[in-house]
Structures are given as structure tokens and as C-alpha cells.
Amino acid sequence: MSAVETDNEDTLSILVATDNHLGYMERDPVRGLDSFSAFGEILQLAQLHKADMVLLGGDLFHDNRPSRKCLHQAMTQLRRTCMGDGRVGIEHLSDPSVDFGPQYMHVNYEDPNMNIALPVFLIHGNHDDPSGDGNLSAIDVLAVNGL
């Protein structure tokens, strides 16, 4: 993020991160937590700089089928950072059923049953593309849990 901060309410602050590759070398005793640590730092920077949203531009996970440990770590970090009573200053104007599928009537931060303080938008990368039965990915598991 820029060192120049602005309090202008007309400015949209977006933290963009790509190629997080959560779970990369997760079984390595030395580097096993590197990807999770880096992802945690990204989310902390978004909070610190009061980003309006985070855009994760692909390859959140290193593997198409991340381990349970990897998925748990990702969900824990997203819940810790993104859920809360903060005010979300952006509005989703298009049809959520078109953007997110027919099972979602609201983007998570506009859902009356959820408290989202920091919206995170993800797109699939080549490492975490949907596949198999139902054409689903780990990102779909995050979405169905409101993350």
C-alpha cells in the first residue's frame, strides 16, 4: 500500500495480492508455515491501512485439493481478519446470483446473518481451478462458509 494515506471518503482503497500459494511446502519442517505467515501479514496490512476490500487475484492455494490443515489455516486467518463489526464502505450493485451463483442471495457483507468487517474477493488461478464432481474448488468451500 502507498505510504500516502487519504481520508477522502471518495477514495476506494484496495489491497491486491496474488499467488499466495497457501500450503506450499507445508510439510517442510523449516518452511512449512511460510505461506501462512505471509498471508497473515497481507491480511494484517489490509486492517492496518484500513483497506476497503482485499482482492486475491488467483492461486490462493498451491494445490487444487489443499490439505485439511491448509484449508483450516486459511479459514482461520480469514475469519480472524474479515469478520467483525466494522463498517463496509462499498456496495455490490450487480446481481449476486449471476456473480456468485444462484445459491447466494447476497454478497457476504450485505447478508443480514453475517458480520463482515473486511470484504475479500477471490478469483481462481490455475492452481486452484474448480474441477471434479460439481466443478468445485477449495475457494467454493470458503464461499459457502461466508468467507
Side-chain angles (χ1 to χ4, degrees), residues 43-145:
L43 295 175
Q44 287 175 355
L45 284 170
Q47 284 182 317
L48 177 70
H49 292 283
K50 297 180 173 80
D52 294 308
M53 63 181 275
V54 174
L55 174 61
L56 300 175
D59 291 340
L60 176 62
F61 296 102
H62 183 67
D63 293 314
N64 185 288
R65 294 182 188 143
S67 70
R68 287 183 294 243
K69 175 186 169 188
C70 179
L71 197 53
H72 183 267
Q73 278 277 44
M75 293 174 82
T76 299
Q77 289 184 341
L78 287 167
R79 282 184 61 93
R80 186 180 313 125
T81 308
C82 301
M83 294 188 149
D85 292 327
R87 180 185 147 318
V88 175
I90 60 175
E91 183 180 358
H92 187 266
L93 298 175
S94 60
D95 182 353
S97 68
V98 172
D99 295 336
F100 308 117
Q103 69 271 32
Y104 304 106
M105 298 308 298
H106 308 280
V107 65
N108 68 352
Y109 61 88
E110 292 178 354
D111 186 326
N113 297 311
M114 303 195 75
N115 286 338
I116 304 296
L118 177 63
V120 174
F121 293 91
L122 303 133
I123 59 172
H124 296 280
N126 64 318
H127 283 255
D128 47 27
D129 271 348
S131 64
D133 187 27
N135 201 33
L136 298 172
S137 77
I139 291 173
D140 295 299
V141 172
L142 299 178
V144 80
N145 283 286

Side-chain angles (χ1 to χ4, degrees), residues 20 22 34-43 56 60 74 77-78:
N20 301 106
L22 294 178
D34 287 358
S35 63
F36 303 111
S37 297
F39 186 58
E41 289 177 24
I42 289 166
L43 295 175
L56 300 175
L60 176 62
Q77 289 184 341
L78 287 167

Side-chain angles (χ1 to χ4, degrees), residues 18-34:
T18 65
D19 297 286
N20 301 106
H21 290 273
L22 294 178
Y24 178 73
M25 296 185 73
E26 71 181 307
R27 291 193 173 114
D28 184 281
V30 176
R31 297 194 51 205
L33 296 176
D34 287 358

